PDB file of all heavy atoms in Angstrom:
ATOM      1  N   GLN Y 234      84.351 108.497  80.022  1.00  0.00           N
ATOM      2  CA  GLN Y 234      85.385 108.794  79.038  1.00  0.00           C
ATOM      3  C   GLN Y 234      85.799 107.538  78.270  1.00  0.00           C
ATOM      4  O   GLN Y 234      86.057 107.580  77.062  1.00  0.00           O
ATOM      5  CB  GLN Y 234      86.608 109.415  79.712  1.00  0.00           C
ATOM      6  CG  GLN Y 234      86.361 110.825  80.234  1.00  0.00           C
ATOM      7  CD  GLN Y 234      85.883 111.767  79.133  1.00  0.00           C
ATOM      8  OE1 GLN Y 234      86.485 111.843  78.051  1.00  0.00           O
ATOM      9  NE2 GLN Y 234      84.786 112.474  79.392  1.00  0.00           N
ATOM     10  N   MET Y 235      85.841 106.415  78.955  1.00  0.00           N
ATOM     11  CA  MET Y 235      86.178 105.154  78.286  1.00  0.00           C
ATOM     12  C   MET Y 235      85.094 104.755  77.296  1.00  0.00           C
ATOM     13  O   MET Y 235      85.389 104.319  76.181  1.00  0.00           O
ATOM     14  CB  MET Y 235      86.402 104.059  79.335  1.00  0.00           C
ATOM     15  CG  MET Y 235      87.607 104.318  80.232  1.00  0.00           C
ATOM     16  SD  MET Y 235      87.761 103.140  81.586  1.00  0.00           S
ATOM     17  CE  MET Y 235      88.330 101.692  80.685  1.00  0.00           C
ATOM     18  N   VAL Y 236      83.837 104.915  77.697  1.00  0.00           N
ATOM     19  CA  VAL Y 236      82.735 104.605  76.779  1.00  0.00           C
ATOM     20  C   VAL Y 236      82.754 105.569  75.598  1.00  0.00           C
ATOM     21  O   VAL Y 236      82.542 105.166  74.443  1.00  0.00           O
ATOM     22  CB  VAL Y 236      81.389 104.678  77.521  1.00  0.00           C
ATOM     23  CG1 VAL Y 236      80.219 104.498  76.538  1.00  0.00           C
ATOM     24  CG2 VAL Y 236      81.319 103.616  78.617  1.00  0.00           C
ATOM     25  N   ASP Y 237      83.035 106.843  75.866  1.00  0.00           N
ATOM     26  CA  ASP Y 237      83.084 107.839  74.798  1.00  0.00           C
ATOM     27  C   ASP Y 237      84.167 107.515  73.775  1.00  0.00           C
ATOM     28  O   ASP Y 237      84.051 107.878  72.597  1.00  0.00           O
ATOM     29  CB  ASP Y 237      83.332 109.225  75.414  1.00  0.00           C
ATOM     30  CG  ASP Y 237      82.997 110.362  74.463  1.00  0.00           C
ATOM     31  OD1 ASP Y 237      82.115 110.170  73.593  1.00  0.00           O
ATOM     32  OD2 ASP Y 237      83.608 111.434  74.592  1.00  0.00           O
ATOM     33  N   ASN Y 238      85.203 106.816  74.221  1.00  0.00           N
ATOM     34  CA  ASN Y 238      86.266 106.385  73.317  1.00  0.00           C
ATOM     35  C   ASN Y 238      86.040 104.974  72.779  1.00  0.00           C
ATOM     36  O   ASN Y 238      86.984 104.331  72.311  1.00  0.00           O
ATOM     37  CB  ASN Y 238      87.620 106.468  74.037  1.00  0.00           C
ATOM     38  CG  ASN Y 238      88.145 107.880  74.129  1.00  0.00           C
ATOM     39  OD1 ASN Y 238      88.717 108.393  73.190  1.00  0.00           O
ATOM     40  ND2 ASN Y 238      87.911 108.526  75.273  1.00  0.00           N
ATOM     41  N   ARG Y 239      84.812 104.528  72.891  1.00  0.00           N
ATOM     42  CA  ARG Y 239      84.370 103.251  72.310  1.00  0.00           C
ATOM     43  C   ARG Y 239      85.140 102.044  72.852  1.00  0.00           C
ATOM     44  O   ARG Y 239      85.440 101.099  72.129  1.00  0.00           O
ATOM     45  CB  ARG Y 239      84.452 103.305  70.784  1.00  0.00           C
ATOM     46  CG  ARG Y 239      83.573 104.386  70.176  1.00  0.00           C
ATOM     47  CD  ARG Y 239      83.561 104.386  68.665  1.00  0.00           C
ATOM     48  NE  ARG Y 239      82.575 105.341  68.171  1.00  0.00           N
ATOM     49  CZ  ARG Y 239      81.290 105.092  67.976  1.00  0.00           C
ATOM     50  NH1 ARG Y 239      80.826 103.882  68.257  1.00  0.00           N
ATOM     51  NH2 ARG Y 239      80.474 106.024  67.530  1.00  0.00           N
ATOM     52  N   LEU Y 240      85.450 102.098  74.138  1.00  0.00           N
ATOM     53  CA  LEU Y 240      86.132 100.967  74.777  1.00  0.00           C
ATOM     54  C   LEU Y 240      85.148  99.994  75.411  1.00  0.00           C
ATOM     55  O   LEU Y 240      85.568  98.948  75.909  1.00  0.00           O
ATOM     56  CB  LEU Y 240      87.110 101.483  75.834  1.00  0.00           C
ATOM     57  CG  LEU Y 240      88.262 102.341  75.307  1.00  0.00           C
ATOM     58  CD1 LEU Y 240      89.113 102.844  76.457  1.00  0.00           C
ATOM     59  CD2 LEU Y 240      89.116 101.540  74.314  1.00  0.00           C
ATOM     60  N   GLY Y 241      83.865 100.319  75.390  1.00  0.00           N
ATOM     61  CA  GLY Y 241      82.879  99.420  75.967  1.00  0.00           C
ATOM     62  C   GLY Y 241      81.620 100.172  76.360  1.00  0.00           C
ATOM     63  O   GLY Y 241      81.329 101.253  75.845  1.00  0.00           O
ATOM     64  N   LEU Y 242      80.875  99.586  77.263  1.00  0.00           N
ATOM     65  CA  LEU Y 242      79.650 100.196  77.775  1.00  0.00           C
ATOM     66  C   LEU Y 242      79.675 100.093  79.299  1.00  0.00           C
ATOM     67  O   LEU Y 242      80.468  99.359  79.878  1.00  0.00           O
ATOM     68  CB  LEU Y 242      78.412  99.527  77.190  1.00  0.00           C
ATOM     69  CG  LEU Y 242      78.288  97.997  77.334  1.00  0.00           C
ATOM     70  CD1 LEU Y 242      77.630  97.620  78.644  1.00  0.00           C
ATOM     71  CD2 LEU Y 242      77.495  97.415  76.172  1.00  0.00           C
ATOM     72  N   THR Y 243      78.784 100.833  79.944  1.00  0.00           N
ATOM     73  CA  THR Y 243      78.780 100.817  81.409  1.00  0.00           C
ATOM     74  C   THR Y 243      77.370 101.063  81.921  1.00  0.00           C
ATOM     75  O   THR Y 243      76.424 101.266  81.146  1.00  0.00           O
ATOM     76  CB  THR Y 243      79.762 101.850  81.982  1.00  0.00           C
ATOM     77  OG1 THR Y 243      79.957 101.601  83.373  1.00  0.00           O
ATOM     78  CG2 THR Y 243      79.254 103.283  81.787  1.00  0.00           C
ATOM     79  N   LEU Y 244      77.230 101.063  83.232  1.00  0.00           N
ATOM     80  CA  LEU Y 244      75.967 101.356  83.897  1.00  0.00           C
ATOM     81  C   LEU Y 244      76.129 102.619  84.731  1.00  0.00           C
ATOM     82  O   LEU Y 244      77.099 102.750  85.487  1.00  0.00           O
ATOM     83  CB  LEU Y 244      75.542 100.184  84.792  1.00  0.00           C
ATOM     84  CG  LEU Y 244      75.157  98.912  84.009  1.00  0.00           C
ATOM     85  CD1 LEU Y 244      75.189  97.699  84.912  1.00  0.00           C
ATOM     86  CD2 LEU Y 244      73.780  99.063  83.395  1.00  0.00           C
ATOM     87  N   LEU Y 245      75.182 103.537  84.620  1.00  0.00           N
ATOM     88  CA  LEU Y 245      75.245 104.827  85.313  1.00  0.00           C
ATOM     89  C   LEU Y 245      73.972 105.057  86.112  1.00  0.00           C
ATOM     90  O   LEU Y 245      72.880 104.666  85.700  1.00  0.00           O
ATOM     91  CB  LEU Y 245      75.406 105.967  84.310  1.00  0.00           C
ATOM     92  CG  LEU Y 245      76.674 106.010  83.457  1.00  0.00           C
ATOM     93  CD1 LEU Y 245      76.570 107.149  82.454  1.00  0.00           C
ATOM     94  CD2 LEU Y 245      77.898 106.186  84.343  1.00  0.00           C
ATOM     95  N   PRO Y 246      74.088 105.740  87.265  1.00  0.00           N
ATOM     96  CA  PRO Y 246      72.886 106.131  88.017  1.00  0.00           C
ATOM     97  C   PRO Y 246      72.259 107.378  87.417  1.00  0.00           C
ATOM     98  O   PRO Y 246      72.935 108.213  86.822  1.00  0.00           O
ATOM     99  CB  PRO Y 246      73.430 106.398  89.421  1.00  0.00           C
ATOM    100  CG  PRO Y 246      74.837 106.855  89.182  1.00  0.00           C
ATOM    101  CD  PRO Y 246      75.326 106.102  87.978  1.00  0.00           C
ATOM    102  N   GLN Y 247      70.963 107.497  87.624  1.00  0.00           N
ATOM    103  CA  GLN Y 247      70.238 108.639  87.054  1.00  0.00           C
ATOM    104  C   GLN Y 247      70.751 109.969  87.572  1.00  0.00           C
ATOM    105  O   GLN Y 247      70.785 110.955  86.831  1.00  0.00           O
ATOM    106  CB  GLN Y 247      68.748 108.496  87.346  1.00  0.00           C
ATOM    107  CG  GLN Y 247      67.907 109.592  86.693  1.00  0.00           C
ATOM    108  CD  GLN Y 247      66.420 109.372  86.855  1.00  0.00           C
ATOM    109  OE1 GLN Y 247      66.000 108.339  87.347  1.00  0.00           O
ATOM    110  NE2 GLN Y 247      65.632 110.342  86.444  1.00  0.00           N
ATOM    111  N   ILE Y 248      71.161 110.026  88.857  1.00  0.00           N
ATOM    112  CA  ILE Y 248      71.600 111.330  89.378  1.00  0.00           C
ATOM    113  C   ILE Y 248      72.831 111.844  88.639  1.00  0.00           C
ATOM    114  O   ILE Y 248      72.996 113.049  88.481  1.00  0.00           O
ATOM    115  CB  ILE Y 248      71.871 111.283  90.902  1.00  0.00           C
ATOM    116  CG1 ILE Y 248      72.940 110.248  91.258  1.00  0.00           C
ATOM    117  CG2 ILE Y 248      70.603 111.066  91.679  1.00  0.00           C
ATOM    118  CD1 ILE Y 248      73.398 110.347  92.706  1.00  0.00           C
ATOM    119  N   ALA Y 249      73.683 110.930  88.166  1.00  0.00           N
ATOM    120  CA  ALA Y 249      74.865 111.356  87.414  1.00  0.00           C
ATOM    121  C   ALA Y 249      74.452 111.892  86.045  1.00  0.00           C
ATOM    122  O   ALA Y 249      75.000 112.890  85.552  1.00  0.00           O
ATOM    123  CB  ALA Y 249      75.841 110.196  87.265  1.00  0.00           C
ATOM    124  N   ILE Y 250      73.487 111.249  85.430  1.00  0.00           N
ATOM    125  CA  ILE Y 250      72.996 111.701  84.121  1.00  0.00           C
ATOM    126  C   ILE Y 250      72.288 113.049  84.261  1.00  0.00           C
ATOM    127  O   ILE Y 250      72.516 113.966  83.467  1.00  0.00           O
ATOM    128  CB  ILE Y 250      72.062 110.642  83.511  1.00  0.00           C
ATOM    129  CG1 ILE Y 250      72.843 109.350  83.251  1.00  0.00           C
ATOM    130  CG2 ILE Y 250      71.417 111.158  82.224  1.00  0.00           C
ATOM    131  CD1 ILE Y 250      71.987 108.170  82.860  1.00  0.00           C
ATOM    132  N   ASP Y 251      71.448 113.176  85.287  1.00  0.00           N
ATOM    133  CA  ASP Y 251      70.738 114.446  85.517  1.00  0.00           C
ATOM    134  C   ASP Y 251      71.723 115.581  85.785  1.00  0.00           C
ATOM    135  O   ASP Y 251      71.442 116.740  85.465  1.00  0.00           O
ATOM    136  CB  ASP Y 251      69.785 114.311  86.704  1.00  0.00           C
ATOM    137  CG  ASP Y 251      68.603 113.412  86.408  1.00  0.00           C
ATOM    138  OD1 ASP Y 251      68.372 113.114  85.211  1.00  0.00           O
ATOM    139  OD2 ASP Y 251      67.919 112.989  87.361  1.00  0.00           O
ATOM    140  N   ALA Y 252      72.883 115.241  86.382  1.00  0.00           N
ATOM    141  CA  ALA Y 252      73.886 116.263  86.698  1.00  0.00           C
ATOM    142  C   ALA Y 252      74.747 116.629  85.489  1.00  0.00           C
ATOM    143  O   ALA Y 252      75.610 117.507  85.593  1.00  0.00           O
ATOM    144  CB  ALA Y 252      74.779 115.784  87.841  1.00  0.00           C
ATOM    145  N   GLY Y 253      74.529 115.959  84.347  1.00  0.00           N
ATOM    146  CA  GLY Y 253      75.213 116.339  83.122  1.00  0.00           C
ATOM    147  C   GLY Y 253      76.495 115.590  82.838  1.00  0.00           C
ATOM    148  O   GLY Y 253      77.343 116.073  82.085  1.00  0.00           O
TER     149      GLY Y 253
END
Side-chain angles (χ1 to χ4, degrees):
Q234 290 304 310
M235 295 173 74
V236 174
D237 197 28
N238 282 279
R239 299 184 174 274
L240 296 177
L242 54 87
T243 193
L244 292 162
L245 296 175
Q247 184 174 353
I248 59 170
I250 296 171
D251 290 346

